[in-house]
Amino acid sequence: MANVFAGSVVRGINNGVVALMKSSALGGRMGGSFVEISYVGRRSGKTISTPVNYRRSGEDIVINVMMPDRKSWWRNFLGEGAPITLRLSGGDRTGHAVATRDERGRVTVKVRLDEAA
């Protein structure tokens, strides 16, 4: 029961963050550090979208996953990685994401964006 409640709370928070990102008042300010990612779930086969905090590192997008043991989305990108779409301020961009976990348990997802059309 607690997991169902927690899941509902997280979905509510994520929906609120996405709404703020899309708002004309705050969207521009949040767009520099938040991005909405979309990917196909490895088990469900469904397209999933969620907001994450990111930073740029050269040509790559880097997502440091906070509390990775409480989240599962990043596991879709283990091993060889998988396709991903990011809703950046300039529009949707596709790329390839690979998740790695270091010896201290920290998880980083690196996204190499496809060439812009």
Side-chain angles (χ1 to χ4, degrees):
M1 182 71 164
N3 286 340
V4 171
F5 177 73
S8 295
V9 169
V10 169
R11 275 189 297 282
I13 291 170
N14 285 348
N15 290 338
V17 170
V18 170
L20 287 172
M21 288 169 54
K22 292 179 179 178
S23 78
S24 58
L26 293 176
R29 291 184 182 174
M30 293 181 72
S33 62
F34 280 93
V35 64
E36 184 179 7
I37 60 170
S38 298
Y39 57 92
V40 175
R42 68 189 186 284
R43 290 192 203 159
S44 69
K46 295 179 181 178
T47 299
I48 302 163
S49 297
T50 190
V52 297
N53 192 276
Y54 78 100
R55 66 181 167 82
R56 288 193 178 264
S57 177
E59 297 296 315
D60 295 335
I61 300 287
V62 178
I63 302 165
N64 293 317
V65 181
M66 299 297 142
M67 298 185 298
D69 293 329
R70 294 183 177 230
K71 299 173 180 152
S72 61
W73 68 264
W74 59 269
R75 291 176 175 90
N76 287 281
F77 306 104
L78 287 170
E80 297 293 317
I84 190 169
T85 301
L86 295 88
R87 175 157 288 155
L88 296 165
S89 59
D92 287 357
R93 295 283 305 275
T94 58
H96 187 81
V98 177
T100 56
R101 188 170 207 153
D102 70 14
E103 66 283 348
R104 294 176 66 191
R106 296 176 295 200
V107 173
T108 302
V109 178
K110 290 187 181 176
V111 179
R112 174 61 45 108
L113 295 173
D114 295 336
E115 294 295 320

